[in-house]
Amino acid sequence: MNQPNIQPKITPIYQTSVFKFEDLDAVQRYFDEPGSRYLYSRNGNPNSDELAEAVSHWEGGAGAVATGSGMAAIFAALLTYCQAGDHVLCAADIYGGSAALLNLELSRLGISVSYVPFEDLYDLAAYVRPTTKLLLCETMSNPLLRVVDLRAAAAECHRHGIKLVVDNTFATPVLTRPLALGADMVLHSVTKYLAGHSDVTAGAVVAGTAEDAARLRQIGTVFGLTLSPMESWLSVRGLKTLRLRVAAHSHNAQQIAEFLEVHPAVEAVYYPGLPTHPQHALAVVQGHGLFSGMMSIRLADDAAVVNRFMQRSQRFPFAPSLAGVDSSCSHPLYTSHRALTDAQRAELGITVGLVRLSVGIEPVEELLADLAQALD
Ligand SMILES: *Cc1c(COP(=O)(O)O)cnc(C)c1O
């Protein structure tokens, strides 16, 4: 019987853990000609490869691996460059999970960490040791939206012979492509803007060189960090609207930031799109005029005030994640940044009054009206 000529426009979901071979010659060809076919989905699958290639293309990379989460992406990136006895530098303004991975787990494996305050990111001499391998930082930091000058940071890293690894989750490649500014590796929590609909947990790491990309794939396969077909497929679907969504998130967030900046119940707004933001000029250039949908606001340092805001808002449910098409809010002190030490939190100003908003793509008048009634 002839095979029907099926030509799906969209890559189907290859919901299979393994692939068939005709005989020993066929499996030998798989090993002799990498990329000629698939063996086992943990090693590679058409859906996870499609996602990895799409993210690599967005970031201008030489190759990527799709991972089971953003945390797996950070782990894979760090292991590409580090082994027991090595030392890493990490920006003090960092996702709480990254700090937990470094403080609680990688330290156990003999990889030590020093945190670099924001002001010192372009002068690392006092922090670099002979064993230092890399600096990990975020393009726009979580939760205070401090913007790192990646070109300057990359130049400083390379001056000391270390790599720059950038978590580009908040900025997305729509705003900033770290590899083009000199970074060596870029990673994402695909869970956030890249997938964009709060329905997938996924990650991706993109390498600047083919050699690093091959190491990444090996680490993904051997540590079992790779992403499933279904999650990959959902992420690819989300990625197709990334450019449109990020523009809409940014436009809404700009209006909301301007509204909140003059609201009497709000003590401070941290949003790079505001001219009062300390790195506004850098953010304009590095983000090509877009600033994402993420901001943090400082309410009174009183849990009762924060609770009232959360209870009253209908459009910003307290859901400790970010970057979905529907708005939400989160609370760094109680959720994402719990793992930081008291000293780290005090230094960064992560107090009970700090609320992080993830502005969605809903009609902005509805969001403004909701915030107005919730803050009154
Ligand atoms: C959420 C997040 C992560 C972790 O990603 P998961 O997909 O939750 O594992 C890493 N970095 C940043 C900046 C994040 O916001």
Side-chain angles (χ1 to χ4, degrees):
M1 207 177 86
N2 285 335
Q3 278 284 109
N5 184 8
I6 302 173
Q7 298 196 37
K9 180 161 182 280
I10 300 303
T11 308
I13 307 171
Y14 288 86
Q15 191 68 33
T16 180
S17 62
V18 67
F19 298 83
K20 295 189 285 187
F21 290 84
E22 297 77 35
D23 55 20
L24 293 176
D25 295 338
V27 86
Q28 188 58 43
R29 270 202 305 280
Y30 165 83
F31 286 102
D32 291 344
E33 299 165 30
S36 61
R37 57 197 292 172
Y38 289 96
L39 173 79
Y40 188 56
S41 284
R42 172 161 52 73
N43 302 39
N45 170 287
N47 298 112
S48 57
D49 280 0
E50 185 179 25
L51 174 61
E53 277 161 29
V55 179
S56 182
H57 181 73
W58 255 115
E59 291 287 4
V65 66
T67 57
S69 66
M71 288 304 299
I74 299 169
F75 187 58
L78 295 177
L79 287 190
T80 302
Y81 294 130
C82 296
Q83 60 186 32
D86 287 341
H87 173 243
V88 305
L89 300 178
C90 181
D93 296 79
I94 200 80
Y95 175 64
S98 308
L101 175 65
L102 288 161
N103 297 346
L104 306 178
E105 299 298 339
L106 289 181
S107 58
R108 246 170 11 92
L109 305 183
I111 298 171
S112 60
V113 59
S114 301
Y115 289 94
V116 182
F118 186 78
E119 315 69 68
D120 290 352
L121 285 173
Y122 317 115
D123 185 6
L124 299 174
Y127 300 90
V128 173
R129 305 176 189 167
T131 52
T132 307
K133 288 294 183 303
L134 61 87
L135 169 69
L136 172 67
C137 73
E138 296 169 4
T139 311
M140 298 199 310
S141 75
N142 182 358
L144 291 173
L145 283 302
R146 286 174 159 169
V147 183
V148 175
D149 184 337
L150 293 179
R151 200 185 287 281
E156 178 64 4
C157 284
H158 296 156
R159 205 164 68 77
H160 293 284
I162 67 173
K163 306 285 187 185
L164 177 63
V165 176
V166 178
D167 182 335
N168 203 29
T169 299
F170 271 39
T172 82
V174 178
L175 272 63
T176 306
R177 294 177 180 211
L179 295 176
L181 301 175
D184 298 283
M185 197 166 273
V186 182
L187 63 93
H188 283 274
S189 170
V190 172
T191 313
K192 316 293 170 51
Y193 282 118
L194 298 199
H197 295 72
S198 309
D199 53 9
V200 187
T201 299
V205 198
V206 183
T209 67
E211 193 189 346
D212 284 351
R215 277 296 290 143
L216 271 177
R217 282 190 79 100
Q218 158 131 348
I219 286 166
T221 300
V222 175
F223 281 88
L225 305 174
T226 48
L227 189 62
S228 72
M230 179 70 193
E231 314 305 293
S232 299
W233 186 88
L234 278 168
S235 301
V236 166
R237 187 167 74 160
L239 205 52
K240 290 176 187 180
T241 54
L242 181 69
R243 190 189 304 279
L244 300 175
R245 284 186 287 107
V246 169
H249 283 289
S250 298
H251 290 133
N252 278 359
Q254 184 71 33
Q255 290 193 51
I256 287 171
E258 287 169 10
F259 166 75
L260 293 175
E261 196 181 29
V262 294
H263 194 289
V266 178
E267 290 173 13
V269 177
Y270 303 90
Y271 186 65
L274 293 175
T276 49
H277 186 281
Q279 295 93 41
H280 176 67
L282 167 66
V284 170
V285 175
Q286 200 165 264
H288 300 93
L290 294 174
F291 307 96
S292 96
M294 295 306 302
M295 73 182 69
S296 287
I297 61 174
R298 196 175 289 290
L299 304 178
D301 264 326
D302 177 349
V305 170
V306 174
N307 278 338
R308 218 160 34 241
F309 169 76
M310 288 176 169
Q311 289 156 6
R312 283 199 197 167
S313 171
Q314 302 296 306
R315 305 305 293 267
F316 288 82
F318 176 28
S321 184
L322 60 108
V325 287
D326 301 317
S327 297
S328 62
C329 79
S330 187
H331 194 269
L333 181 63
Y334 270 64
T335 65
S336 54
H337 289 67
R338 279 191 102 96
L340 268 60
T341 63
D342 289 346
Q344 278 177 311
R345 285 194 293 252
E347 176 79 27
L348 294 175
I350 297 177
T351 63
V352 73
L354 192 73
V355 175
R356 196 186 69 194
L357 301 182
S358 173
V359 177
I361 64 169
E362 304 94 331
V364 72
E365 337 53 87
E366 293 177 16
L367 299 179
L368 288 166
D370 179 61
L371 290 170
Q373 66 79 28
L375 290 168
D376 274 348

